[in-house]
């Protein structure tokens, strides 16, 4: 495959493993073993069975008829919102915990920003009976109380990161520090297609079940495997990587990655990484990164916590650079409007992250007989307070 990672962990100019020397043995172990384990028949069998019976896969591919009439094209929704725990993240945490078990690890660490990845990790740790430690910025702990409660209910220990801005990047630093100090028994579950090689490739492969299913389901429904467009939102880029994966080499399928413009791309309050970013190193890989002229990471902003990330996975930096995917950005306001529209037309409350992908429909200009697949990455229960607050504001 043309967009496959190379043996050094690069997608074109991006990727690699820029890690402190003390992490080298952990990352090396993973690099040597991940493909062997993932390609093992018994691993696949266990992963597939749990995806089916625990996660509830395959997730439906739903023809959204009223939304299709509204936009005058054919729109299918890939329903990752119907997965156990309400989003695509569980596909990845489940895959990684099975891998950790096969590596003989007994202690799991993770970092989380909004808490979604923390909950997905705590969930699979409970499932497998493994100890779970989640690092979370002190400020995020205050902002995301329901997810902190969920993680604790699931048996995880939530450790506050109290340095720096007390948010995601500080939690990541703490998790890396923990991994350095506990190299033998501990496995680090990363939540998106980011981090040092082999994480981006591994996470993309676990999430690729999304596009694998889309192909089969679309064939059943329309007689052909390939849609004209696939649209997905991008924070770190894992749901998009999963939705794009099996279409990367099909040049006739247009791939559209939607980032969060926040209050506007040029407002200084944005997370539109591919447009605003320059090459730099974050979380152990070389990628596009929002930074100041002297290379300090810029604090990102989006109304949706899951898109509020200053970098993007190296696979997306490569898709951007080569033009294989089109990168668009959507403001807070446009995402809210798209979410309200989906509620009213289809009876589906999307996650605010996913709403960014839907908002792009008004810019798409698809023809009436073209097929558009949107990855509905998660459900909107967690965003209810935001939806209600802004609806009230709009009505005042
Ligand atoms: C976390 C999250 C995202 C963003 O993460 P990606 O790695 O870019 O997929 C998108 N949608 C939902 C529902 C999420 O929870």
């Amino acid at each position: 495959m043309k967009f496959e990672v190379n043996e050094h962990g690069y997608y074109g100019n991006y990727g690699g493993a820029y890690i402190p020397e003390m992490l080298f043995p952990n990352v090396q172990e993973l690099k040597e073993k991940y493909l062997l384990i993932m390609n093992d028949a018994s691993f696949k069998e266990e992963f597939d069975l749990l995806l089916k019976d625990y996660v509830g896969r395959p997730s439906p591919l739903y023809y959204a008829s009223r939304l299709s009439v509204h936009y005058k094209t054919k729109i299918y929704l890939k329903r990752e919102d119907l997965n156990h725990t309400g989003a695509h993240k569980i596909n990845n945490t489940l895959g990684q915990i099975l891998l950790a078990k096969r590596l003989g690890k007994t202690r799991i660490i993770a970092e989380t920003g909004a808490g979604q990845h923390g909950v997905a990790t705590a969930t699979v740790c409970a499932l497998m009976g493994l100890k779970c430690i989640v690092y979370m910025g002190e400020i995020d702990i205050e902002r995301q109380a329901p997810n902190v409660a969920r993680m604790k209910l699931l048996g995880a220990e939530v450790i506050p990161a109290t340095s720096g801005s007390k948010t995601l990047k500080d939690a990541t630093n703490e998790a890396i520090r923990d991994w350095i100090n506990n190299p033998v028994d501990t496995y680090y579950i990363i939540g998106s297609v980011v981090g040092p090689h082999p994480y981006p490739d591994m996470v993309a492969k676990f999430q690729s079940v999304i596009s694998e299913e889309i192909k089969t389901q679309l064939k059943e429904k329309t007689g052909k495997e390939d849609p004209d467009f696939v649209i997905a939102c991008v924070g770190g880029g894992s749901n998009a990587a999963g939705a794009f994966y099996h279409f990367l080499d099909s040049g006739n399928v247009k791939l559209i990655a939607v980032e969060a413009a926040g209050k506007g791309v040029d407002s200084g309050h944005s997370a539109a990484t591919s447009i605003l970013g320059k090459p730099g190193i974050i979380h152990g890989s070389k990628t596009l990164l929002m930074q100041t002229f002297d290379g300090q990471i810029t604090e990102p902003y989006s109304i949706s916590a899951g898109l509020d990330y200053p970098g993007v996975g190296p696979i997306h930096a490569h898709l951007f650079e080569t033009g294989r995917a089109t990168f668009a950005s959507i403001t807070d306001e446009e995402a809210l409007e798209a979410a309200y529209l989906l509620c009213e037309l289809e009876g589906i409350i999307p996650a605010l992250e996913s709403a960014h992908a839907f908002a792009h429909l008004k810019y798409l200009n698809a023809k009436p007989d073209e097929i558009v697949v949107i990855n509905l990455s998660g459900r909107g229960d967690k965003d209810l307070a935001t939806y209600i607050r802004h609806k009230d504001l709009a009505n005042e």
Side-chain angles (χ1 to χ4, degrees), residues 87-89 116 192 233-239 306-307 351 353 377-378:
H88 66 289
K89 286 195 172 72
Q116 297 299 108
S192 190
C233 66
V234 173
S238 69
N239 87 88
L307 302 186
E353 291 83 0
S377 55

Side-chain angles (χ1 to χ4, degrees), residues 15 46 136 186 283:
E46 190 177 4
M136 190 168 184
T186 298
H283 297 172

Side-chain angles (χ1 to χ4, degrees), residues 55 79-90 116 119-120 349-351 354 376-382:
V55 176
R79 299 291 309 272
E80 294 300 298
D81 61 319
L82 296 178
N83 292 341
H84 177 48
T85 68
H88 66 289
K89 286 195 172 72
I90 189 93
Q116 297 299 108
V119 171
I349 305 174
S354 323
L376 176 42
S377 55
R379 69 173 83 119
D381 307 36
K382 67 184 178 59

Side-chain angles (χ1 to χ4, degrees), residues 46-60 79-95 120 123-124 127 207 209-210 213 379:
E46 190 177 4
F47 185 42
D48 288 348
L49 189 68
L50 284 169
L51 283 178
K52 176 169 173 281
D53 292 340
Y54 188 71
V55 176
R57 303 203 72 90
S59 66
R79 299 291 309 272
E80 294 300 298
D81 61 319
L82 296 178
N83 292 341
H84 177 48
T85 68
H88 66 289
K89 286 195 172 72
I90 189 93
N91 305 327
N92 168 48
T93 56
L94 186 61
T123 300
V124 296
L127 177 70
Q207 292 292 1
V209 65
I210 299 173
E213 288 175 6
R379 69 173 83 119

Side-chain angles (χ1 to χ4, degrees), residues 388-396:
I388 290 167
R389 189 166 64 244
H390 285 84
K391 193 106 193 168
D392 288 348
L393 286 176
N395 290 337
E396 264 168 20

